[in-house]
Amino acid sequence: MFDVQFARSLFPAFEKEPTSTWGFFENAGGTYLPASVLDRYTEFLTDFKVQPYGNNPMARRAGDAMDAGRETLAAMLGVPIDRLTIGPSTTQNLNTLAHGLARLVGPGDEVVVTDQDHEANIGCWVRLCEATGATLRWWHVDPATGLLDPADLDGVLSNNTAIVAMTHVSNLAAVENPVHVIAKKVHTVQGYFIVDGVSAAPHIWPDVEMTGADAYTFSLYKTYAPHLGAMVCSDRLLERISPQAHFFNAKTPWKRLDAAGPDHAAIGAIVGLGEFFDTLAAHHGIVEDDRSVRSRAVSVLMRNHETAIAAPLVNLLVELDIRVIGTADHPDKVANFALAPTAVSARGVVERLEAVKIAAKADHFYAARLAAACGIERAARISFAHYNTAEEVDRIAGVLVAVA
């Protein structure tokens, strides 16, 4: 069983007001940082916030810290460091990726996007098609549920398909898509498969190889680390893509798509993310030697806890017949619920939650096309993390009963 109180003890935020008394359920927008990450971040900024990789001791420590951060994340993901790009955000990483693929597509080629995605994984491909003359094809959701049907992709794919971009888990629908199945279809027509894992990674620590993605992206600041984006690319993509880095960095694979040079201290602080996962693993008796296996095992514990404490909420949403984008009780649902109620507005729900010290948000959350497809402007999103508690969920339930 997951020890939520031990987990909360690793986060300084929960030891002080207002966070100690508020239930934070806007975790899909960004999570709190554990002490191990904050300590690494503070150490870098305090002791060696200088240009890294120089000959003086401060610069050497800075470079060593950044190397350790990259090595930590690569080990947690179980991927070669040469295939890992760390950028300032997932949005920027996807934009850079699209620029790099521009010379590989043109008139006659087709690029497939979904209206379930965050705009970060749509807009860059729309612009790519506008710039290159490639044809944009849409894989549409079911407007009643906001879900994608994998069978519908068969009518969109063709021998002209160059790229398919989709989300692993939508930040509104919050149901895991079978990306490993989709990858096989895309690769059958020799296309590149791009997966946005931002809303999956907080609940399903990525097994990138199993997804079959040619580029898998997610945001570290939504998985208890600093504001950075991670992207893992396949060798077949890296070998053909146009480098977006300085020309003298272009031959180094992990620098090839590093167009912006993200925050040095933030990269160094990734070591603290690994320490955080390892602390949870040790406390719960997880002794796997392989760090990626160990990290995924911790993630399973986190998700199981989230699912368990969300279960009464799921039952209540079904009982009250409150519309949830992606449905409330889908078997592949992660603990993220985008409510589209009829008795009160989404903002009204959030205001009532705030009255009982539950932090949530009403918005389209950059999934404006999905919201429009489902016939709404915004949803009241209640998104869980492993540090949430059953008592907090009870407060949410009380509000929903009152407004239904």
Side-chain angles (χ1 to χ4, degrees), residues 239-262:
E239 288 167 0
R240 297 194 64 203
I241 199 165
S242 295
Q244 299 298 300
H246 299 308
F247 75 91
F248 45 81
N249 286 331
K251 292 184 179 180
T252 303
W254 65 265
K255 292 182 179 180
R256 199 163 291 164
L257 294 172
D258 182 0

Side-chain angles (χ1 to χ4, degrees), residues 89-105:
S89 70
T90 292
T91 299
Q92 182 60 62
N93 284 346
L94 285 167
N95 270 298
T96 302
L97 182 68
H99 279 286
L101 289 172
R103 74 174 180 83
L104 299 181
V105 300

Side-chain angles (χ1 to χ4, degrees), residues 253-307:
W254 65 265
K255 292 182 179 180
R256 199 163 291 164
L257 294 172
D258 182 0
D263 187 302
H264 296 167
I267 293 176
I270 296 172
V271 172
L273 177 66
E275 292 168 339
F276 166 62
F277 268 66
D278 286 349
T279 298
L280 285 176
H283 183 78
H284 291 91
I286 298 172
V287 294
E288 299 286 351
D289 291 333
D290 185 303
R291 197 165 199 175
S292 64
V293 175
R294 190 165 70 242
S295 298
R296 292 196 297 273
V298 169
S299 180
V300 168
L301 279 179
M302 291 175 169
R303 184 180 183 183
N304 288 346
H305 168 73
E306 295 162 5
T307 300

Side-chain angles (χ1 to χ4, degrees), residues 186-207:
V186 177
H187 291 154
T188 296
V189 297
Q190 305 303 310
Y192 289 111
F193 187 40
I194 315 302
V195 178
D196 176 357
V198 169
S199 292
H203 311 281
I204 309 164
W205 185 254
D207 186 342

